[in-house]
C-alpha cells in the first residue's frame, strides 16, 4: 500500500507535468494551459497538506530516489527527499501561494492581444516544481541544482514581456547578480564534500552531525579541515554558502536585482517574493541551521547583515512612487528580519516570520496587481487615490496585509517580527554587541516600515482621485477577489500559531509552531541544541529573565508612530510629496544609495581593467612561453628531420661520423685516446 510519504515526489512532478503540457500543447488549451496549472498545483497542495499532517508528531522521512554516481572513492551522488516539519511547512506555503497565483493569473493575464500565455504558464509550472524540489532535497548538491533552476525560471518569467526594453534587462540583471553569489555557493558545496565526504542534511552521517562531532572531539579523524582549526574552517564553509543566500534572498549588497525584477508580471512578483526565488535563500539557512549553529562568527555575520539590510531597504521604500517598488524594498527589508532572526539564534522565530511573510506579502503583491488592473496598468501611486470605494475587496484585504507587514497587533506580522526582535535582543544581552547593533537596526526599521506601508495605503486608496483612470477604474473579477480573500484571512490569523509573548506571560501552551519545529534541526539532537548554542556559539541560556512586554511595546509603539506620521501627511484629500523636503538626501535614497552605480563602477572601473591585464598576461607571457617552447621544438624537429633520407649509405656515414665525434670528445675530456 502506498503511504503519504511515497507520494512526496508527486508534489514536484505535478507542476512539472503542467510545465511540459503548457510547453507542448498550450496553444490548444484554454487560457494557454492555466487550468492545467491550477489543477496540478491544487493536487500538490492537497498532498502537501496530508504530508504536513503526517509529520505533525515530529516524524522525519528520508528516501533515496535515484543514484546518479556511485562507486566513487570519496562520495556517492544521489537524489533523495527529506520530509520533516520544516520542509512540510514550506511545501504547504509554496503550493498554496503557487495555486493562488495561478488562479489570480486568470484575471491578470487576460488582456486582449496578450501573447505567450503557454510560455507564461509553463514558466509558472517549472518555477513551482523547481522550488518544491529545492525544499525536499536531502543533500546540499541536489539543493544547489534546484537552487540554480529556480534562478533560471526567475530569469524567464521576469523577462516574459521581452519585446519591451525593461524586462529583458531586469531579467539579465537578476540572473547575473544572483550568479555572483552562487559562485561562492558552488565553492562551498565542493568544500562540504571535500571536508565531510557527504552533503546529506539529515542523519548521523550528515555533514551537520559530523561537524558537531568534530567540534566535540568525537569524529575529528574523519573530517578534513586542510590545516585550519575546525571552528574556523566550518565558518569559512558557512560564509561561502551564505554568498548564494545573500544573492537569492536579495540581502545587501546583492539586493539590487530585486526592485528591477518588478518589470515582470505582478503574479510572478508575488511568487518570487513570497514563496520561491527570494524565499529559497533564507530557507537554505534554516535547513542548514544545525551547521550554522556551530559557528558564532557566521551567525553574527548573518544577524548583522540582516539587520542592516532591514533598515537600509526600509528607508528606500519611504520615497518610491510605484506601488510595486515599495513592495519590492519591503521584501528586501522583511527578509533582512528573517536573516536577523536566524543569526540571532531565533530559528523558530525566523521560520515563523518566513511563513507569515509569505502570506501577507503574496496578498500585498496580488492586491497591487488588482490595483494595477483597475488602473489600466498604471503603477504610480501619485496617479491613484480614491480607490477605497471602487475596489472594496481589494482595499480591505490590502489593509489587512499592510497591518501585518507593519507589525500591528493582532495581525500575523506582529507576532513573528516581534519574536525575531525579542530573540535577538535576548541573545544580544549575553554580551554580544554585534547582535545588539543588529537588533537596534531592526528596531529602527520598524518605524520606517509602518510609515512607508501606510503611505502606500493612503496614496493608493484614500483622498481624491488624482487621474482620470482613478476616477473610473476597471472592475476586477472573482478570480482576483478569491485569492485576495484567502490570503487576507491567513494574514490576519496565522500569527496565532505562535503567540510567544502571551505564552510567556500566561503559561498557556499556545506556541504551536515551536512544538511543530522542535525536531527541525536535522543532524543535531534537540536536547543538545541549547547546550550547543551556549557553549559553542555563545548564544543561549544566560540566566537573563527578560519579559517580552517591554520590547514588544517599544516595537509596536514605533510601528504606530510610523502609521500616525503617514496618516498625518497622506490621509488628506490632496496629499503632497513631503519627502521632497529632504532635498539631496531624498535623491540619494531614491537612487538606492547609488548602489547600482557603485556596482557598475566596480565592474567597469576595476574588474574589467583587471581582466584586461590578466588577459594580456595570459596571452603575452604565459602563451608566449608556451608558444616559444613549441616553436623551438618545431624548429629543431624540422632540421633533424632532414637527415632522415631513407638511404642506407647515408645512415652508415652518419653512424661513423657520430662514433668518431664521440671518441674525440671523450679523448679531449679524459686526456687519453683509444
Amino acid at each position: 500500500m502506498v503511504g503519504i510519504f511515497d507520494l512526496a515526489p508527486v508534489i514536484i512532478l505535478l507542476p512539472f507535468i503542467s510545465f511540459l503540457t503548457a510547453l507542448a500543447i498550450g496553444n490548444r488549451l484554454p487560457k494557454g494551459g492555466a487550468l492545467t496549472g491550477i489543477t496540478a498545483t491544487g493536487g500538490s497542495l492537497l498532498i502537501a497538506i496530508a504530508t504536513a499532517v503526517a509529520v505533525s508528531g515530529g516524524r522525519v522521512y528520508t528516501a533515496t530516489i535515484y543514484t546518479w554516481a556511485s562507486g566513487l572513492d570519496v562520495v556517492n551522488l544521489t537524489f533523495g527527499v527529506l520530509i520533516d516539519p520544516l520542509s512540510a511547512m514550506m511545501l504547504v506555503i509554496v503550493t498554496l501561494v503557487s495555486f493562488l497565483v495561478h488562479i489570480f493569473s486568470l484575471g491578470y493575464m487576460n488582456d486582449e492581444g496578450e501573447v505567450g500565455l503557454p510560455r507564461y504558464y509553463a514558466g509558472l509550472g517549472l518555477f513551482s516544481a523547481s522550488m518544491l524540489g529545492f525544499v525536499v532535497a536531502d543533500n546540499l548538491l541536489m539543493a544547489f541544482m534546484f537552487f540554480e533552476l529556480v534562478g533560471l525560471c526567475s530569469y524567464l518569467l521576469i523577462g516574459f514581456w521581452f519585446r519591451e526594453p525593461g524586462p529583458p534587462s531586469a531579467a539579465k540583471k537578476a540572473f547575473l547578480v544572483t550568479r555572483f553569489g552562487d559562485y561562492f555557493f558552488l565553492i562551498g558545496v565542493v568544500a562540504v564534500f571535500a571536508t565531510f565526504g557527504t552533503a546529506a542534511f539529515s542523519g548521523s552521517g550528515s555533514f551537520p552531525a559530523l561537524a558537531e562531532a568534530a567540534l566535540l572531539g568525537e569524529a575529528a579523524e574523519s573530517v578534513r579541515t586542510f590545516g585550519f582549526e575546525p571552528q574556523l574552517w566550518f565558518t569559512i564553509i558557512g560564509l561561502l554558502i551564505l554568498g548564494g543566500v545573500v544573492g537569492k534572498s536579495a540581502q545587501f549588497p546583492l539586493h539590487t536585482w530585486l526592485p528591477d525584477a518588478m518589470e515582470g508580471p505582478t503574479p510572478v512578483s508575488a511568487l518570487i517574493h513570497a514563496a520561491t526565488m527570494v524565499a529559497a535563500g533564507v530557507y537554505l539557512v534554516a535547513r542548514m541551521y544545525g551547521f550554522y549553529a556551530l559557528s558564532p562568527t557566521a551567525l553574527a555575520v548573518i544577524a548583522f547583515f540582516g539587520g542592516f539590510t532591514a533598515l537600509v531597504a526600509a528607508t528606500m521604500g519611504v520615497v518610491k512612487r510605484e506601488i510595486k517598488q515599495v513592495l519590492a524594498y519591503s521584501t528586501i527589508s522583511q527578509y533582512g528580519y528573517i536573516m536577523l532572526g536566524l543569526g540571532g539564534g531565533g530559528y523558530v522565530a525566523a521560520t515563523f516570520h518566513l511563513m507569515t511573510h509569505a502570506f501577507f506579502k503574496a496578498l500585498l503583491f496580488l492586491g497591487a496587481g488588482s490595483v494595477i488592473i483597475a488602473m489600466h496598468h498604471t503603477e504610480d501611486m501619485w496617479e491613484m487615490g480614491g480607490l477605497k470605494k471602487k475596489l472594496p475587496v481589494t482595499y480591505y484585504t490590502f489593509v489587512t496585509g499592510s497591518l501585518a507587514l507593519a507589525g500591528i497587533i493582532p495581525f500575523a506580522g506582529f507576532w513573528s517580527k516581534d519574536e525575531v526582535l525579542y530573540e535577538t535582543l535576548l541573545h544580544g544581552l549575553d554580551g554580544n554587541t554585534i547582535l545588539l547593533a543588529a537588533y537596534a537596526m531592526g528596531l529602527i526599521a520598524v518605524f520606517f516600515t509602518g510609515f512607508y506601508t501606510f503611505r502606500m495605503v493612503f496614496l493608493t486608496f484614500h483622498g481624491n482621485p488624482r487621474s482620470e483612470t482613478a476616477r473610473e477604474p476597471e472592475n476586477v473579477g472573482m478570480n482576483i477577489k478569491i485569492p485576495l480573500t484567502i490570503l487576507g484571512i491567513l494574514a490576519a490569523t496565522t500569527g496565532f500559531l505562535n503567540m510567544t509573548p502571551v505564552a510567556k506571560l500566561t503559561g498557556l501552551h499556545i506556541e504551536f509552531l515551536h512544538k511543530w519545529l522542535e525536531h527541525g534541526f536535522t543532524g543535531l539532537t534537540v536536547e543538545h541544541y541549547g547546550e550547543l548554542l551556549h557553549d559553542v556559539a555563545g548564544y543561549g541560556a544566560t540566566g537573563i529573565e527578560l519579559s517580552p512586554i517591554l520590547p514588544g511595546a517599544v516595537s509596536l509603539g514605533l510601528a504606530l508612530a510610523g502609521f500616525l506620521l503617514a496618516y498625518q501627511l497622506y490621509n488628506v484629500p490632496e496629499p503632497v510629496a513631503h519627502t521632497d523636503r529632504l532635498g539631496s538626501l531624498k535623491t540619494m535614497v531614491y537612487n538606492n544609495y547609488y548602489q547600482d552605480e557603485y556596482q557598475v563602477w566596480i565592474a567597469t572601473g576595476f574588474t574589467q581593467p583587471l581582466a584586461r591585464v590578466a588577459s594580456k598576461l595570459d596571452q603575452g607571457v604565459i602563451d608566449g612561453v608556451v608558444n616559444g617552447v613549441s616553436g623551438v621544438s618545431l624548429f629543431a624537429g624540422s632540421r633533424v628531420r632532414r637527415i632522415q633520407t631513407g638511404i642506407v649509405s647515408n645512415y652508415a656515414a652518419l653512424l661513423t661520423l657520430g662514433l668518431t665525434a664521440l671518441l674525440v670528445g671523450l679523448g679531449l675530456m679524459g686526456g687519453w685516446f683509444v
Side-chain angles (χ1 to χ4, degrees):
M1 182 177 178
V2 177
I4 188 61
F5 291 120
D6 297 318
L7 296 177
V10 179
I11 301 175
I12 307 167
L13 287 174
L14 286 175
F16 186 73
I17 292 171
S18 75
F19 153 70
L20 295 177
T21 303
L23 204 62
I25 58 172
N27 288 325
R28 287 173 280 176
L29 294 175
K31 298 287 186 179
L35 298 180
T36 304
I38 292 172
T39 303
T41 52
S44 293
L45 174 60
L46 293 176
I47 300 174
I49 293 173
T51 302
V53 172
V55 300
S56 59
R59 185 178 176 186
V60 176
Y61 170 81
T62 59
T64 299
I65 298 176
Y66 178 69
T67 300
W68 58 291
S70 62
L72 303 178
D73 293 336
V74 181
V75 296
N76 291 327
L77 306 179
T78 62
F79 284 98
V81 296
L82 167 60
I83 305 294
D84 65 355
L86 175 63
S87 60
M89 182 193 77
M90 197 65 188
L91 285 175
V92 174
I93 293 172
V94 175
T95 53
L96 175 59
V97 173
S98 179
F99 175 65
L100 295 176
V101 164
H102 274 80
I103 295 175
F104 187 91
S105 296
L106 282 174
Y108 192 89
M109 304 294 291
N110 66 347
D111 289 352
E112 292 185 9
E114 183 69 74
V115 296
L117 285 181
R119 176 166 49 88
Y120 173 79
Y121 286 108
L124 287 186
L126 185 60
F127 207 178
S128 303
S130 302
M131 185 63 189
L132 293 168
F134 173 74
V135 167
V136 302
D138 72 338
N139 65 82
L140 190 60
L141 179 59
M142 178 181 171
F144 175 79
M145 297 170 70
F146 280 104
F147 200 71
E148 295 306 294
L149 195 54
V150 166
L152 171 64
C153 294
S154 68
Y155 166 78
L156 296 173
L157 286 168
I158 292 170
F160 174 73
W161 288 314
F162 62 88
R163 293 175 179 84
E164 302 173 10
S169 176
K172 287 185 289 186
K173 183 177 181 179
F175 192 78
L176 293 175
V177 172
T178 55
R179 288 297 75 67
F180 180 79
D182 292 346
Y183 172 77
F184 296 98
F185 184 8
L186 178 60
I187 298 175
V189 173
V190 175
V192 167
F193 273 113
T195 302
F196 304 104
T198 180
F201 288 131
S202 179
S204 59
S206 64
F207 73 90
L210 292 175
E212 177 188 13
L215 289 180
L216 297 176
E218 298 172 1
E221 68 283 351
S222 63
V223 175
R224 302 173 63 194
T225 57
F226 305 98
F228 292 90
E229 290 294 326
Q231 186 79 70
L232 175 60
W233 181 240
F234 298 160
T235 299
I236 293 172
I237 294 175
L239 293 179
L240 284 170
I241 296 173
L242 190 63
V245 173
V246 169
K248 280 291 193 294
S249 289
Q251 298 296 285
F252 181 88
L254 300 182
H255 64 280
T256 54
W257 67 270
L258 191 59
D260 290 33
M262 299 303 96
E263 293 284 353
T266 301
V268 171
S269 300
L271 194 59
I272 288 175
H273 288 245
T276 53
M277 177 81 161
V278 194
V282 294
Y283 176 80
L284 180 62
V285 177
R287 168 53 67 211
M288 289 179 52
Y289 203 67
F291 182 76
Y292 278 109
L294 302 169
S295 172
T297 303
L299 288 178
V301 169
I302 291 171
F304 184 83
F305 275 91
F308 183 77
T309 302
L311 176 58
V312 170
T315 61
M316 289 187 277
V318 166
V319 299
K320 297 301 178 181
R321 297 178 61 94
E322 295 82 6
I323 188 170
K324 285 176 65 177
Q325 285 285 311
V326 175
L327 293 175
Y329 284 102
S330 168
T331 296
I332 298 171
S333 181
Q334 293 303 305
Y335 277 101
Y337 276 113
I338 297 172
M339 295 289 279
L340 174 63
L342 291 168
Y347 165 78
V348 175
T351 308
F352 183 28
H353 199 56
L354 173 62
M355 178 183 67
T356 60
H357 176 265
F359 296 138
F360 66 69
K361 185 52 60 67
L363 168 62
L364 289 171
F365 264 108
L366 296 185
S370 176
V371 170
I372 291 169
I373 293 173
M375 290 292 298
H376 301 286
H377 293 276
T378 297
E379 298 185 20
D380 191 341
M381 295 183 295
W382 289 99
E383 295 185 16
M384 298 179 188
L387 296 178
K388 175 181 177 181
K389 294 181 180 179
K390 302 290 186 177
L391 303 170
V393 174
T394 301
Y395 171 72
Y396 287 108
T397 55
F398 197 90
V399 168
T400 300
S402 299
L403 290 167
L405 170 60
I408 306 299
I409 194 169
F411 295 87
F414 167 80
W415 304 103
S416 57
K417 178 260 298 174
D418 272 48
E419 187 175 352
V420 164
L421 292 172
Y422 175 73
E423 291 284 350
T424 305
L425 176 61
L426 186 65
H427 294 136
L429 291 175
D430 190 26
N432 194 317
T433 55
I434 294 179
L435 286 190
L436 290 177
Y439 167 77
M441 290 186 288
L443 191 63
I444 296 171
V446 171
F447 169 78
F448 289 105
T449 303
F451 178 76
Y452 73 67
T453 299
F454 283 96
R455 171 181 175 266
M456 173 178 60
V457 171
F458 294 136
L459 286 178
T460 302
F461 294 99
H462 289 231
N464 296 326
R466 293 182 293 277
S467 68
E468 186 61 35
T469 307
R471 295 183 185 92
E472 297 295 334
E474 182 179 334
N475 291 324
V476 295
M478 292 303 295
N479 44 20
I480 299 293
K481 296 176 182 178
I482 291 175
L484 292 179
T485 302
I486 294 173
L487 289 169
I489 294 171
L490 293 173
T493 60
T494 49
F496 300 134
L497 292 175
N498 213 55
M499 295 188 290
T500 298
V502 177
K504 289 184 178 294
L505 293 174
T506 64
L508 298 175
H509 298 291
I510 50 178
E511 296 178 286
F512 302 111
L513 197 65
H514 271 278
K515 296 178 181 179
W516 175 271
L517 292 173
E518 66 179 359
H519 299 283
F521 284 92
T522 55
L524 296 183
T525 60
V526 178
E527 295 79 9
H528 186 56
Y529 170 59
E531 176 189 349
L532 182 70
L533 285 181
H534 180 56
D535 296 337
V536 180
Y539 295 5
T542 62
I544 297 175
E545 292 292 337
L546 179 65
S547 171
I549 293 181
L550 181 59
V554 171
S555 175
L556 180 60
L558 287 171
L560 290 174
F563 162 77
L564 291 174
L565 180 59
Y567 180 88
Q568 182 71 25
L569 296 178
Y570 297 105
N571 189 33
V572 293
E574 299 294 339
V576 297
H578 291 84
T579 53
D580 289 343
R581 300 175 184 176
L582 298 175
S584 58
L585 178 60
K586 178 190 175 179
T587 302
M588 181 178 66
V589 177
Y590 188 81
N591 288 283
N592 312 325
Y593 297 98
Y594 300 108
Q595 281 294 302
D596 286 302
E597 290 79 0
Y598 174 67
Q599 292 178 1
V600 170
W601 175 83
I602 290 178
T604 60
F606 177 74
T607 306
Q608 192 175 46
L610 184 64
R612 287 172 178 168
V613 171
S615 176
K616 290 180 180 179
L617 176 66
D618 179 58
Q619 295 178 17
V621 178
I622 299 176
D623 284 355
V625 171
V626 173
N627 294 336
V629 171
S630 65
V632 170
S633 299
L634 290 172
F635 176 79
S638 67
R639 294 301 181 267
V640 173
R641 187 173 58 192
R642 293 180 180 181
I643 67 176
Q644 302 297 322
T645 63
I647 301 173
V648 176
S649 59
N650 289 351
Y651 293 159
L654 288 173
L655 287 172
T656 302
L657 289 173
L659 179 60
T660 302
L662 179 62
L663 292 174
V664 171
L666 290 174
L668 291 175
M669 288 187 295
W672 53 273
F673 188 84
V674 178

